[in-house]
Every structure is written in C-alpha cells, then in structure tokens.
Amino acid sequence: MDAVRLIVTSRRALAGGGEPPQVMAEVWQAQALAQAIGSRLAVAGPPELRGEALGLTELAGRGCGVLDRPDIALAELRAAQLTDLGDARQALQYLGGLLGEVGIALVGLACAADDETTYWQCMEAIDAADESRDRVLQMLRRLADRGEGLAEREAG
C-alpha cells in the first residue's frame, strides 16, 4: 500500500482516540510506520536523504521500543503493508504531520497517566517522536535544497 494512504489511515485512527491502550497502540503503529518509511528511504530513496532516513529508522525504532508492543495481528500492522513510497516529499510531509500528532497524543496520555511507568513510557516516546519529526523536517529541507539547485542548473 502507498505510504501516504497508510499515514492518512494512521492519522484517522489516532484522531479517533479511545481508551489509553488504544491510543498507545496507534502511537506504536505510527512509530512502526515511520521506521518502515525511513528504512525504505534509506535503501531506495534519493541519495541525499539516505543518511537522515537511516537516522529516522533508528529513532522511530526507539519510539516503538519504549512502548509496550500492542497485540496486533500481522495483517493489521500498517508498517507491514507498506509497498510503495510514492513521492518522497509528499510522504515526508504527511509523516511529519503524523509524528506531530503522535507527540500531542502522548502528551495527553502522560498527563492522564495513573502510574509512573506509563508516564515515563510516554515521555520517552514523546522524545522519540519529536526527534523523528525533526529528522523528517531535515529531509524535507534537503529535498527543497535539491529542488532549488536543479532549478538553478536548468535556468543557467
């Protein structure tokens, strides 16, 4: 499935809210999807993005690692459904939005946490989502710089 479609599906599921375990499962799904997109960009994306994409893969993996893995069937795992990145710029723009929403959802969960373990899981996941989003924004800047450079060469 196309990356943008999967991201939109994740955004809708995250916005749907629900009980804290459901929200945590959606946060985990979003981080796993970010990890899969980063991995795909690191292998087959534009050369200037490969290092940043590898970093995204590691950061999103950390975001998954600090949360308890939800009981999700393989068929429901969005990251496993990723078959096509499509336009890298568009996928990254959507992914940046999703990661921002993940951070907001985690803040809400942390504020409502009844136990210290959940609170600290949320705090660690917030850091990972924020750093992942920063990495996505850096990749978007690199793509914009590349676009400007190509336009200058074509004009000259």
Side-chain angles (χ1 to χ4, degrees):
M1 189 180 297
D2 175 80
V4 171
R5 253 177 73 191
L6 289 168
I7 293 166
V8 168
T9 300
S10 285
R11 288 176 88 167
R12 286 184 185 141
L14 187 61
E19 296 297 313
Q22 293 168 307
V23 176
M24 291 288 264
E26 289 305 327
V27 165
W28 190 92
Q29 283 258 40
Q31 288 283 24
L33 183 56
Q35 185 179 23
I37 290 170
S39 179
R40 184 71 58 101
L41 282 168
V43 171
E48 62 270 21
L49 298 185
R50 291 185 180 162
E52 296 291 334
L54 186 58
L56 172 62
T57 301
E58 293 170 4
L59 289 166
R62 188 181 68 160
C64 288
V66 298
L67 299 172
D68 295 330
R69 187 186 186 287
D71 186 23
I72 299 174
L74 185 58
E76 296 172 11
L77 182 60
R78 290 186 203 104
Q81 298 172 23
L82 180 65
T83 58
D84 182 35
L85 276 179
D87 177 52
R89 183 183 322 271
Q90 184 182 31
L92 288 169
Q93 287 171 334
Y94 277 75
L95 183 58
L98 173 61
L99 290 168
E101 291 167 12
V102 162
I104 292 167
L106 285 165
V107 167
L109 287 172
C111 290
D114 291 335
D115 61 284
E116 200 169 310
T117 301
T118 301
Y119 173 81
W120 285 112
Q121 279 184 336
C122 289
M123 297 310 290
E124 289 291 324
I126 288 167
D127 285 344
D130 187 48
E131 289 178 35
S132 294
R133 186 168 185 270
D134 288 346
R135 194 63 59 116
V136 166
L137 294 174
Q138 180 63 32
M139 286 189 281
L140 284 168
R141 281 191 287 277
R142 285 184 188 263
L143 284 175
D145 291 346
R146 178 183 79 159
E148 289 172 11
L150 288 174
E152 289 173 8
R153 283 193 292 268
E154 288 175 2

